[in-house]
Amino acid sequence: NLFGSSWTRLGATANAGATTITVQADVGGWLPGQQILLTSSSFKDEVQNQNEILTVKNAYGSTIELESPLAFQHYGGEEYQSEVALLTRNIMVMGTSEVEATNIGPQIMLGGTKRHRIRGVLAYRMGQRNVQGAYPFHFHMLGSSPESYMFDNVVVRSFYRCFVVHGTSNVQVMRNVAFDAAGHCYYLEDGVEEGNTFAHNLGAYVHPI
């Protein structure tokens, strides 16, 4: 169950203390108890983290009611709008709490056969810091693979990158969300990859290595 849109943008500025926000997409498929991300509109995201993870109380149309009030203002004007992303998925792959001390989490490497499809999966505490090839989601040396895709997935708390395409061409990486990640979130590893489509993906609170 994909619950509708993976992410959208605010329809209007949301002020600190608010318990209701409006967005640009229909989020009626988002359910009570699910977690969402409301990204910061601060210019110094790395040193002034105002991203908020919130719990849905109710969602209907383009309105989301929240279980708790916002701690910060999030801008939603004509020039730009803070993003709102659904973090909850029915399928989750995660590292244990112990990997926080080592930055060595699990990885998903997709190689060998020519067709790989991942959709609606949450990867939490994954990736291995500065270990080449050890990323949360990784198409590896598939050559031309037009039937392969990564759609509507989420990466949270990645220790090394997010969605990586390596030695692979003609795949689709679309409607994914990445939050709190170290290194490039959407990454062509060798630069020889061709014909790949990266579209409507969100990366937020990404840390330099």
Side-chain angles (χ1 to χ4, degrees):
N1 191 338
L2 300 174
F3 311 110
S5 300
S6 288
W7 67 276
T8 180
R9 293 182 171 90
L10 284 177
T13 296
N15 292 312
T19 56
T20 300
I21 61 175
T22 59
V23 296
Q24 296 180 20
D26 185 343
V27 292
W30 296 8
L31 303 176
Q34 292 183 327
Q35 286 194 319
I36 62 172
L37 164 69
L38 179 50
T39 63
S40 171
S41 51
S42 166
F43 288 109
K44 298 182 178 180
D45 190 49
E46 188 68 19
V47 296
Q48 191 179 15
N49 177 17
Q50 295 184 2
N51 299 285
E52 298 192 60
I53 295 179
L54 305 155
T55 301
V56 175
K57 182 178 181 180
N58 195 15
Y60 46 92
S62 59
T63 299
I64 304 171
E65 297 177 356
L66 306 170
E67 289 283 1
S68 56
L70 298 178
F72 306 102
Q73 183 187 79
H74 299 265
Y75 186 73
E78 292 185 5
E79 314 94 309
Y80 68 92
Q81 306 86 34
S82 292
E83 296 87 0
V84 185
L86 181 67
L87 299 182
T88 299
R89 295 294 187 273
N90 284 341
I91 301 170
M92 179 167 64
V93 182
M94 65 180 293
T96 65
S97 58
E98 286 78 9
V99 303
E100 290 281 358
T102 62
N103 291 337
I104 302 295
Q107 59 172 310
I108 297 175
M109 179 185 288
L110 305 168
T113 61
K114 286 292 185 180
R115 185 173 74 173
H116 296 277
R117 296 175 174 179
I118 298 183
R119 189 173 189 183
V121 177
L122 166 61
Y124 181 59
R125 295 198 199 108
M126 292 184 63
Q128 301 179 8
R129 180 68 52 85
N130 291 326
V131 177
Q132 187 174 13
Y135 317 118
F137 293 110
H138 179 193
F139 283 137
H140 180 70
M141 304 300 288
L142 299 179
S144 180
S145 187
E147 295 185 72
S148 295
Y149 60 70
M150 299 178 188
F151 292 165
D152 304 295
N153 303 292
V154 179
V155 172
V156 176
R157 189 69 185 134
S158 171
F159 303 118
Y160 200 37
R161 312 197 192 285
C162 302
F163 300 89
V164 176
V165 176
H166 178 208
T168 300
S169 297
N170 303 309
V171 301
Q172 298 180 78
V173 181
M174 300 173 62
R175 301 186 304 274
N176 300 288
V177 173
F179 172 67
D180 191 10
H184 295 90
C185 275
Y186 300 93
Y187 181 62
L188 297 171
E189 187 160 334
D190 283 346
V192 300
E193 299 83 5
E194 297 180 332
N196 298 297
T197 300
F198 290 78
H200 198 64
N201 299 296
L202 172 64
Y205 200 41
V206 179
H207 316 294
I209 298 176

